[in-house]
């Protein structure tokens, strides 16, 4: 039964976690962001929500760019690790042996294990509550086409997507999940 509660309840999980990369003057970082979304097309826009205090926020603000990556389930330990430790304290790329290449259009690391990645140029930063909403125009997209069906739908027999549920716990979206199709939408 529903009840009224005094505090705001944030209901954002389970959900995919984006791995955000940044670089400024040869200093780089990688972090996890649970609050993010594709927010527009023509041109493509992507938004990430970061606290100003994060190491990545400063790098992104100074450089004007960021990367957004999505990692498969077998890399969920990386997702958790880069969201737990600060780049102020360790070089997470080196410490966790995260391989990357340099971006083509934006000076950011692009993770080699990402099945989908964006290079984004910052177009707006706005504060909402205790987080900044950082919007970037997508300059370059990478996708492992072998892991997707037509129209960009994941091939779940090949791609296992980690879904964060809180407290360092992940579920895996794969071909064992139940699929529900609403047939009255198929012919419209």
């Amino acid at each position: 039964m529903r009840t009224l509660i005094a505090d705001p309840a944030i209901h954002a999980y389970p959900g995919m976690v984006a791995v955000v990369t940044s670089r400024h003057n040869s200093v780089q970082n990688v972090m996890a962001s649970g609050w993010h979304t594709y927010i527009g097309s023509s041109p493509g826009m992507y938004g990430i929500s970061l606290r100003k205090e994060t190491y990545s926020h400063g790098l992104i603000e100074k450089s004007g760019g960021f990367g957004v990556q999505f990692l498969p389930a077998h890399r969920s330990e990386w997702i958790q690790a880069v969201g737990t430790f600060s780049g102020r304290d360790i070089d997470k790329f080196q410490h966790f042996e995260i391989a990357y290449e340099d971006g083509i259009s934006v000076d950011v690391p692009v993770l080699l294990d990402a099945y989908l990645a964006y290079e984004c140029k910052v177009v707006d930063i706005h504060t909402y509550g205790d987080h900044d909403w950082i919007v970037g125009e997508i300059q370059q997209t990478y996708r492992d086409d072998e892991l997707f069906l037509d129209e960009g739908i994941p091939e779940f027999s090949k791609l296992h997507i980690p879904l964060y549920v809180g407290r360092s716990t992940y579920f895996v979206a794969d071909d064992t999940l139940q699929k529900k199709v609403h047939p009255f939408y198929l012919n419209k």
Side-chain angles (χ1 to χ4, degrees), residues 98-119:
I98 301 172
Y100 66 90
E101 61 189 9
D102 294 332
I104 295 170
S105 300
V106 179
D107 185 22
V108 294
V110 178
L111 305 186
L112 295 180
D113 280 87
Y115 62 85
L116 186 80
Y118 303 120
E119 296 176 23

Side-chain angles (χ1 to χ4, degrees), residues 103-169:
I104 295 170
S105 300
V106 179
D107 185 22
V108 294
V110 178
L111 305 186
L112 295 180
D113 280 87
Y115 62 85
L116 186 80
Y118 303 120
E119 296 176 23
C120 299
K121 177 182 170 190
V122 174
V123 295
D124 190 36
I125 300 177
H126 194 84
T127 301
Y128 294 96
D130 61 356
H131 280 63
D132 275 2
W133 185 243
I134 303 172
V135 177
E137 181 179 333
I138 298 170
Q139 304 293 302
Q140 187 68 49
T141 302
Y142 304 81
R143 182 174 72 192
D144 186 342
D145 284 335
E146 292 180 8
L147 302 177
F148 290 86
L149 299 169
D150 294 338
E151 299 178 19
I153 297 170
E155 172 59 74
F156 286 112
S157 66
K158 296 177 182 177
L159 177 59
H160 304 160
I161 298 175
L163 300 176
Y164 182 66
V165 294
R167 303 204 184 271
S168 303
T169 304

Side-chain angles (χ1 to χ4, degrees), residues 21-38:
T21 56
S22 53
R23 181 184 293 144
H24 178 66
N25 288 342
S26 315
V27 176
Q28 60 190 27
N29 196 37
V30 55
M31 70 169 291
S33 175
W35 299 341
H36 59 90
T37 190
Y38 192 80

